[in-house]
Amino acid sequence: NAGVTQTPKFRVLKTGQSMTLLCAQDMNHEYMYWYRQDPGMGLRLIHYSVGEGTTAKGEVPDGYNVSRLKKQNFLLGLESAAPSQTSVYFCASSYPDTGVAFFGQGTRLTVV
Amino acid sequence: DAKTTQPNSMESNEEEPVHLPCNHSTISGTDYIHWYRQLPSQGPEYVIHGLTSNVNNRMASLAIAEDRKSSTLILHRATLRDAAVYYCILVDSSYKLIFGSGTRLLVRP
């Protein structure tokens, strides 16, 4: 099983550029999440989704947008990248009845 | 979102048991207690979760205080591969996972 797959794994952006991070899960999970993790810190929730077509803001949503057009995919967009968005981004999905989450391996994004 | 408090770091010797504490004094009656760990350069990994009773699985045991204001993750025999950051998280009915700063576990050979 692939589990949770994030694309790409690494990316370097120039300030002001836009990009989309893709998260795909093959476990038929209802819930999906996007986090960012800065060096030496814990994970912070950016946005999450409780089902296809729904999204909600997390702890640090500013500067990001998300979409969940298909149940298995959750997209994270940066419209105008800033150096402060340099971070490792993790996607996760979970069962709705237990809340047990599975995480992807992360996308390392550098904005110069 | 209810908060948890964990020590910043702990050390253990290989093959000895490790008890990782977590305080969650503001826990509500329906919050689940989840533990995840994050190995270096990897995404977090689920370890165990519980509501009121103690729980065991192949990775660890979870001991929950009777008043549910604290819990302890128990690794019965620490190995070098258990060196990681361990996160204690309260999960409510929204199923948002809000991470704190966790406990960094160092395992000495």
Side-chain angles (χ1 to χ4, degrees):
Chain A
N1 288 339
V4 179
T5 303
Q6 294 183 229
T7 310
K9 291 184 171 46
F10 303 93
R11 186 71 185 269
V12 178
L13 283 180
K14 292 183 179 179
T15 298
Q17 285 186 320
S18 63
M19 78 163 295
T20 300
L21 282 66
L22 171 64
C23 177
Q25 54 97 1
D26 61 2
M27 295 172 282
N28 202 36
H29 287 167
E30 290 292 334
Y31 288 47
M32 296 188 75
Y33 313 83
W34 274 109
Y35 293 87
R36 62 176 288 173
Q37 185 173 35
D38 299 327
M41 307 285 287
L43 282 75
R44 291 184 292 171
L45 182 63
I46 304 172
H47 286 280
Y48 65 104
S49 168
V50 300
E52 182 178 320
T54 70
T55 63
K57 294 180 180 179
E59 301 173 279
V60 288
D62 294 342
Y64 304 94
N65 57 75
V66 288
S67 64
R68 182 101 180 267
L69 298 179
K70 293 183 179 180
K71 185 177 183 179
Q72 64 268 33
N73 296 336
F74 195 28
L75 279 63
L76 178 70
L78 286 73
E79 291 186 349
S80 180
S84 60
Q85 294 178 304
T86 294
S87 190
V88 180
Y89 291 84
F90 289 101
C91 175
S93 66
S94 73
Y95 293 110
D97 54 345
T98 66
V100 173
F102 296 82
F103 285 78
Q105 288 302 301
T107 295
R108 186 173 297 276
L109 175 66
T110 302
V111 182
V112 298
Chain B
D1 301 311
K3 301 295 185 186
T4 62
T5 303
Q6 300 177 251
N8 288 334
S9 64
M10 293 185 65
E11 293 189 20
S12 172
N13 294 319
E14 196 175 13
E15 298 189 1
E16 290 186 353
V18 181
H19 291 232
L20 299 169
C22 180
N23 287 319
H24 29 78
S25 58
T26 60
I27 190 171
S28 70
T30 55
D31 287 347
Y32 280 82
I33 302 160
H34 284 232
W35 283 82
Y36 288 78
R37 72 179 185 181
Q38 187 175 24
L39 279 65
S41 301
Q42 294 191 24
E45 173 189 31
Y46 166 78
V47 178
I48 199 166
H49 78 286
L51 184 62
T52 56
S53 303
N54 295 343
V55 183
N56 300 296
N57 66 21
R58 62 175 181 82
M59 291 182 69
S61 296
L62 176 60
I64 301 172
E66 194 168 337
D67 63 4
R68 298 203 337 121
K69 294 184 183 299
S70 66
S71 61
T72 302
L73 179 70
I74 303 166
L75 306 180
H76 297 286
R77 290 185 64 198
T79 70
L80 297 178
R81 289 175 294 178
D82 291 322
V85 179
Y86 287 78
Y87 296 98
C88 169
I89 302 168
L90 298 183
V91 180
D92 61 20
S93 57
S94 72
Y95 294 111
K96 285 190 300 182
L97 298 177
I98 302 298
F99 285 75
S101 54
T103 296
R104 183 173 298 277
L105 176 65
L106 303 175
V107 181
R108 292 185 291 261

